[in-house]
Amino acid sequence: MSAGSALLGKDLREHGGALAGIVLASAALVLLALAQNRQAAYGISPFEVVRFALITFLPLICLVVGNRLVVREYLAGTRQFVEALPVGTLWPLLLKYLVGYAFVALLGAMVVGICALGATLADDPSPEYLGLLLARTLVVLLLYWGVVFCFSLCGHLRVMLYLVTLGVVLALSFLPGVDATRFAPFALLDREFFVFERDLVPWREMGWTAVLGAAFALAGFIVARLGNGSVAERLARPMSRRDYVLTGVLLAGGVALTGALAEKRTRDPVRLTGEAVLREAQPDVEVYYGAERHRPAAERFLQAVLRATEPLETRLDLESMPALRLVLRPDRDAHDIDYGTLDGVYVAANWLEHDGYDDAVLVAVVLHGVLTARTGGRAPFEPYHWVLDGFTRWWAETAGEPDALVEAHRAELLARALFIARRLSDDQGLVGNWQGIAEAHGYPGAEALATSAMVYLQERQGVPAIMALAREFLSAPLGSSVLASIRDRRRTPQARFAEATGLDFEAFMQDWRVWLGASAAEPAVAMLLAAVPPLSPVVQANRQQGVPVITAGLVEVPDEGVLDGDGRSGPASECVLRHDLLAPFASEWEVEDEDERRAECRADPALYTLDGVYASGDRALLAVELESEAFHQPLRLGAARVDVP
Amino acid sequence: MVDSDSPGSSATAPSVIELVDVRKRFGRTTVLDGLSLQVRRGEVFGFLGRNGAGKSTAIRVLMGIVPADDGQVRLFGQPLGRGVVAARRRIGYVAQEQNMYPWMTPRVLGRFVRGFYPRWDETRWRRLNEAFGLPMKRRLGTFSGGMKAKLALALALSTCPELLILDEPTAGMDPVARREFLDLVREQTARDGATTFFSTHLIDEIEAIADRIAIVENGRAMYQGPLAPLAERTAGYSIARGDDVPGGMPLGPDAQVLRVLGDMPRLGRRQVVLQFADAASREVTPLHGWRREPLSLEDVFIAMVGSDRAGAGDGRGRLRVPHGAHGARSGGTRPA
């Protein structure tokens, strides 16, 4: 048996039990997180658990391992015993470094492995993707272990060093103007990219993080050898009273600094500058209209927004309204809307040609932003996203007044909703997999479906039930803490729905579907539905002479109507194929319209051909939409994802 | 430094340890200040010095745990450099403090340590544990200081060492445990014939077993040689304060005084310890007023290290060597 294996055997014998316990506890924790994720009201990607592990318990485990492997050896003085054995001076320490990293790396690999086993098809855990996740994890752990290894050799100073490091990390995270997610090592743990980025390997960030980790490890070895080990030996003593006082001062200073920085982080919203801006102080709204000739349209839209937002603040007991910044973009299409919710709500759109229906669409987007910002981003969560979509549109149309919904708007909304409802099976339900529905039928369709639920709820229980539902899901700021998240996920949306409306969720869903079906008899609704051809898109992808070719078209849906001999129904209408490259995990339903293909709506499985547009290995989303005078917005006949061979 | 070899010592045997003018500083503190000594194969070498004299640092330098700032260190005839690991395999080491893993049992400890020593003798390890009365299955955390020291000795001896280094192994032991331990060392070293380097600040510990000794103070060897001549060629004298003449000495110019080892007031009298070039000078009758005092080895040791300390303070030199006498015959003398 060599000296190396003797040292390794000693460490395993000394720490094996504890390390095995850590492995089991970590595995249990990961399984618990995955199980909780599976049973929660709404799920996240299982690989989010890897990120969760990396920012919560894996650093703590590194601390425990460092404490056992290094700190104890120095504090107990047993290092001196090993030092006198016939073995190289740095070899025992190097072995400890390697053993420690091997352990935390194995733990990280185990966490990734368990999450991969718990992943669903939607997560698509290809070997390349798993490799990328594993590499990120191992590099981050290399840094953690490097820091812990170095600080562990600093004896009683290590607590202070950890506190200072924590302070620096917090400062970088909270300091205004510093976007820590842009540089290593923070970029590797970025919430947006950790799970969802799979095409780009962050070589630079991984490289810098590895270099940082190696630098800390090297610093540790230098500390260990300073003064022939006498420095590390002198530092290896319990903390004195003076050390405790200093640590307390550091801690208090850190807390005060964090508080101050966190306060500074709440920045004032950006102000729109120039002459061509309408301003409203309460609520804080600014509308940029660019040219004087657009001022009337801007004033009209501002009034529409104020009519919707002012009563909303009162009726939903909102403590404050976020700042609204609305920008007129005359160069855009009527329904091409951009919006964001950073330090307020920003909307850019073209409302010059809008009628009341289009205005309501845009106001609903503004309200969507208001409630999303107000709830700290919780309002659009999958299980109750339909409530947000339905309520905002309903409120944009009615401002909470019982009889304010314009009949024509109601008919168009119900027609759209009914078209979708007919295509959703009873098993699917009308609001399950809401993002899937929105992707398959377009956002306007999903919004109309959700709005029809509000119209039915109003008819059945009155406006107060809708307001109670909105208060339950859309106005309570739960906070961004882990506890708030757990509280939010503990109660099912079904139970919360029943509590707010007094109706059983499943029964409501059935009754709503029946009510919606019955609305087909209304003449205005029937007329609109008659304008929709009974067609559904089909997509095929293959290779022709080595080039990927996607063929898309339309096929008849017999239950919805009858086609003539040429595969047409009713008056001529235009069907547009819109398509876009689909990123992994992408669930957005919007597709670019820059490369759209137009054709007359008719049953033809090869209506459109995309020859060499996508490369082999790409995933694409293709949607066919009806553009008709009868509807304000395109009506999506269907959409499909395709893997390009 | 004074070096005195007895005619009977194996002066021609090859050196196992050889330190030449070794210096070591920790920050501003000089711990070894030109230490030179030589230990020959097969001898039991006593390394004597007060606490803080530099004994442990010298041993750490010898073991290659800390490098010397200057000077030469040779082990088994080879310079201590890259071959430090190979050299340590030939050394059995008993440290001053037994920093062994408290969770280990002797059985586990033996299994751990044998990985480092190719010449590990498992049978001997078991036998020694049994002979020393050490329970093989008890955790070391429950062992007394004496038991730990015995265990360390058993460990060191089981490596079949060519050189056994004992760094104040009895520090903190009660008298019974100390005697027991020393008996074991005496027995084992006599049986193995291994070169033994025994560091201590207690002269009686090495009195019975050491072939030669070195007395170290302030990082330098004050004396190196056999123990017996040190006692035989040393005598103590005292004179009442009232009868004393400043600068006066107890013997006339005929006496072969090598040097004054000590000159200090004690119990109202001035006490002087002299070292002679030959045993006969010891028998010279002291001058009027002076009387001969009984002197133990410990008194000699105290006189030597005490005189060094007294001299170190005023910067005037460490030893007064009257009558032009000088002592160094080998290893050289550093000018004060």
Side-chain angles (χ1 to χ4, degrees), chain A residues 200-476:
Chain A
L200 296 175
V201 180
W203 290 114
R204 202 179 60 169
E205 287 78 7
M206 291 205 299
W208 276 114
T209 307
V211 165
L212 203 58
F216 270 103
L218 184 66
F221 283 108
I222 290 172
V223 169
R225 290 311 304 154
L226 269 180
N228 304 126
S230 60
V231 172
E233 201 172 314
R234 273 204 298 275
L235 290 173
R237 59 176 169 80
M239 282 174 71
S240 66
R241 204 164 53 179
R242 194 173 143 193
D243 296 332
Y244 277 114
V245 170
L246 196 59
T247 307
V249 168
L250 263 178
L251 198 60
V255 169
L257 190 70
T258 309
L261 290 173
E263 201 175 325
K264 279 184 192 168
R265 194 168 165 75
T266 54
R267 292 176 294 184
D268 289 335
V270 171
R271 308 220 71 89
L272 299 177
T273 56
E275 293 296 311
V277 177
L278 299 176
R279 292 191 171 85
E280 194 69 32
Q282 192 61 38
D284 181 6
V285 186
E286 290 180 358
V287 184
Y288 173 80
Y289 53 88
E292 195 55 33
R293 65 180 185 281
H294 299 320
R295 187 182 173 100
E299 284 176 342
R300 177 182 53 78
F301 183 59
L302 173 62
Q303 290 311 311
V305 170
L306 291 177
R307 272 198 303 277
T309 51
E310 281 173 347
L312 185 74
E313 196 174 354
T314 320
R315 298 280 293 275
L316 280 188
D317 302 326
L318 300 178
E319 286 174 10
S320 62
M321 287 286 285
L324 304 180
R325 301 290 178 261
L326 313 170
V327 177
L328 177 65
R329 292 284 304 272
D331 55 316
R332 292 200 169 185
D333 290 340
H335 300 110
D336 182 8
I337 303 166
D338 272 352
Y339 100 96
T341 56
L342 185 69
D343 301 325
V345 178
Y346 296 82
V347 176
N350 178 8
W351 58 79
L352 290 178
E353 303 297 327
H354 276 189
D355 62 7
Y357 187 95
D358 294 327
D359 269 356
V361 169
L362 188 52
V363 169
V365 171
V366 173
L367 297 177
H368 204 282
V370 166
L371 294 174
T372 301
R374 190 71 201 97
T375 54
R378 283 178 193 280
F381 278 0
E382 169 76 2
Y384 46 83
H385 198 157
W386 68 275
V387 179
L388 176 68
D389 289 346
F391 176 78
T392 49
R393 182 60 190 273
W394 174 80
W395 185 269
E397 295 278 358
T398 66
E401 297 300 322
D403 302 318
L405 182 57
V406 176
E407 195 54 43
H409 297 185
R410 179 181 185 276
E412 185 168 341
L413 287 164
L414 291 188
R416 281 179 171 279
L418 191 53
F419 171 75
I420 297 171
R422 282 173 173 172
R423 293 200 171 182
L424 292 173
S425 67
D426 287 345
D427 294 343
Q428 269 181 286
L430 293 181
V431 297
N433 184 21
W434 187 248
Q435 289 192 342
I437 290 173
E439 180 176 295
H441 300 286
Y443 186 75
E447 186 184 69
L449 181 65
T451 308
S452 76
M454 296 300 147
V455 174
Y456 172 62
L457 184 61
Q458 183 195 331
E459 282 188 14
R460 186 160 166 182
Q461 298 289 92
V463 171
I466 298 180
M467 299 313 297
L469 191 64
R471 270 194 291 273
E472 174 63 32
F473 287 112
L474 309 178
S475 70

Side-chain angles (χ1 to χ4, degrees), chain A residues 97-183:
Chain A
Y97 175 77
L98 294 175
V99 166
Y101 181 64
F103 175 72
V104 293
L106 276 174
L107 209 58
M110 183 193 76
V111 172
V112 173
I114 293 175
C115 291
L117 290 175
T120 60
L121 284 177
D123 295 296
D124 192 15
S126 64
E128 293 80 13
Y129 174 58
L130 286 178
L132 180 60
L133 270 182
L134 188 62
R136 278 172 179 270
T137 306
L138 296 186
V139 169
V140 171
L141 287 173
L142 184 71
L143 173 64
Y144 287 170
W145 177 241
V147 171
V148 167
F149 178 76
C150 177
F151 290 179
S152 295
L153 288 160
C154 295
H156 65 284
L157 293 182
R158 70 189 185 284
V159 179
M160 273 175 277
L161 289 170
Y162 284 128
L163 285 177
V164 168
T165 307
L166 188 67
V168 169
V169 170
L170 287 176
L172 286 173
S173 306
F174 285 100
L175 210 62
V178 178
D179 186 359
T181 59
R182 282 172 177 269
F183 52 84

Side-chain angles (χ1 to χ4, degrees), chain B residues 279-312:
Chain B
S281 297
R282 205 164 166 247
E283 305 308 322
V284 175
T285 308
L287 296 174
H288 178 72
W290 288 90
R291 80 174 183 217
R292 182 89 180 267
E293 298 286 353
L295 205 60
S296 67
L297 267 174
E298 193 167 280
D299 293 328
V300 176
F301 170 62
I302 290 169
M304 287 185 84
V305 299
S307 68
D308 187 60
R309 175 160 289 231

